[in-house]
Amino acid sequence: MEFGFGAEDEVFRGEARGWLEAHIGGDPARSGWERELGRDGWIGLGWSEGGYGNRRASLTQQVVWAEEYARAKAPPRSGHIGENLLAPTLIAHGTDEQKARFLPPVARGEELWCQGYSEPGAGSDLAGIRTTAVWDTGGGRGKRDGPGGSYRLTGQKIWTSLAHEADWCFVLARTRPESTRHHGLTFLLVPMDQPGRIEVRPIRQLTGTSEFNEVFFDGAVARAEHVVGGEGNGWRVAMSLLGYERGVSMLAQQIGFAEELGRVVEAAVANGTAADPVVRDLLVRQWAELRTMRWNALRTLGGSGDGQGAAGAPSVAKLLWGRWHQRLGELAVRVRGAGAAVGPADWSTASPYELDAFQHLFLFSRADTIYGGSDEIQRTIIAERVLGLPKEPRGQGG
């Protein structure tokens, strides 16, 4: 199928806006939107191997699609974890059977995924995870790469985005009891529909919403049959996945940032705070830094720079946009002035309490320098892997 833009893109814009209008004030039914995208062939762009995706697309076309999707203010995606993280990982490390089983439902928007990495004692330091998985043949003679047995999972994951909606979770677990750090880890595919075996508890955030969750695996009954990349090779697979996490989607993220900055500028002009030279300088700084982040992202995608620089590119990008977004939230509140302390509804009666866009931006962005790898961890990665500085001393337990 040929990949085209133009009139077709305008049709998509209209469909996206119409869908938003139809669902405003109610449940956004994001899983339904995923199926709409899959039906029209907009999931799995560029999955050339095996024909599992819907359309062939060059890297440039994938960037254009991601940016136009953001510009159209289309509904938020709930399938991005399966499409942008799991799928390229399976294409690189999965068996033919795993690709045939899991990629088509993702491309159709029918199965949603979440990521089981972080734990209460192993957030940014992923190598310290304690969730365990023990192979159990169930009395049969099952092999780890075939039917007849499964792993029994014991442990807890935290900050698991969209776990309350997901059908599957890819989980990093320790399958060798005496192993430490990045040794003895395995990448497992776990079905979330295991009542009484897997418990999902939403975490209420400062914004009043609960996109993140705690996930508990009961070792007596929680099961996983599918291993990606072989037992004990989970660290290699997990690091490969993290390389996909900050690719094309970063440019789309910056389109959203530009929209937010534009609203802050409009508010500053409307209420007169733009006349304040300090505020004006801050607005210009945000604009200039956003342009710099875009150029850096394009340079990285283009493959320029030496190997060492490329190794630290995701960490540099995370440091840049995390702090930038926090400063934008602070600037939005500053532009609003005293009115930023007043909600759009009576906070004493509203449940959950309501926030306007600037208040939500300010509160949610406080987490930007923590999730996805804290700033401290990103600086350590740059220091050790790019600059070659001595490694930080770490205890055996993590």
Side-chain angles (χ1 to χ4, degrees), residues 74 287 333 391:
W287 176 87
V333 170
K391 291 188 176 183

Side-chain angles (χ1 to χ4, degrees), residues 31-246:
S31 60
W33 179 244
E34 290 298 314
R35 290 190 292 273
E36 287 284 329
L37 292 174
R39 184 197 66 190
D40 292 336
W42 293 110
I43 301 177
L45 305 183
W47 297 357
S48 57
E49 182 180 325
Y52 297 115
N54 285 314
R55 303 174 187 238
R56 293 182 179 274
S58 67
L59 180 59
T60 299
Q61 289 172 325
Q62 293 174 51
V63 169
V64 171
W65 158 250
E67 291 188 336
E68 289 305 307
Y69 187 95
R71 287 195 181 97
K73 299 183 177 65
R77 295 287 307 279
S78 57
H80 65 93
I81 295 176
E83 179 184 7
N84 299 323
L85 300 185
L86 175 79
T89 303
L90 281 184
I91 290 172
H93 302 284
T95 64
D96 290 340
E97 292 77 11
Q98 289 170 341
K99 296 173 190 176
R101 163 59 186 88
F102 293 108
L103 293 181
V106 171
R108 293 192 300 265
E110 293 175 354
E111 288 186 347
L112 303 180
W113 286 77
C114 59
Q115 174 175 287
Y117 274 17
S118 296
E119 299 181 5
S124 295
D125 185 13
L126 188 59
I129 66 168
R130 294 180 173 84
T131 293
T132 61
V134 178
W135 181 252
D136 180 8
T137 63
R141 300 177 63 185
K143 298 181 179 180
R144 285 166 168 77
D145 56 354
S150 60
Y151 286 91
R152 291 186 288 108
L153 275 77
T154 303
Q156 175 188 358
K157 298 294 181 177
I158 198 167
W159 309 120
T160 310
S161 300
L162 304 179
H164 57 298
E165 299 179 12
D167 303 293
W168 288 81
C169 181
F170 50 88
V171 175
L172 196 61
R174 196 167 295 282
T175 51
R176 297 176 184 172
E178 304 304 320
S179 64
T180 60
R181 302 299 300 164
H182 59 277
H183 303 287
L185 301 176
T186 299
F187 192 97
L188 302 169
L189 308 183
V190 182
M192 293 295 287
D193 186 15
Q194 299 190 52
R197 303 178 179 186
I198 298 178
E199 181 183 359
V200 178
R201 298 180 189 172
I203 301 172
R204 189 174 183 184
Q205 299 145 216
L206 285 172
T207 54
T209 56
S210 301
E211 293 90 351
F212 302 121
N213 303 267
E214 293 178 282
V215 180
F216 297 86
F217 301 103
D218 183 341
V221 285
R223 302 283 176 165
E225 298 177 4
H226 302 276
V227 176
V228 177
E231 184 179 289
N233 295 322
W235 185 257
R236 178 173 61 90
V237 178
M239 292 301 100
S240 173
L241 182 144
L242 291 176
Y244 303 123
E245 190 170 16
R246 293 163 189 148

Side-chain angles (χ1 to χ4, degrees), residues 340-359:
V342 180
D346 185 351
W347 283 343
S348 66
T349 59
S351 181
Y353 54 80
E354 295 182 35
L355 300 171
D356 63 33
F358 285 1
Q359 291 165 337

Side-chain angles (χ1 to χ4, degrees), residues 269-293:
V269 172
N271 67 12
T273 53
D276 183 335
V278 174
V279 171
R280 190 164 59 247
D281 284 351
L282 291 173
L283 290 170
V284 171
R285 175 185 175 183
Q286 291 295 118
W287 176 87
E289 290 181 351
L290 183 57
R291 297 296 296 177
T292 302
M293 285 192 289

Side-chain angles (χ1 to χ4, degrees), residues 3-14:
F3 195 106
F5 294 97
E8 187 177 2
D9 179 60
E10 288 304 316
V11 171
F12 168 75
R13 286 172 183 255

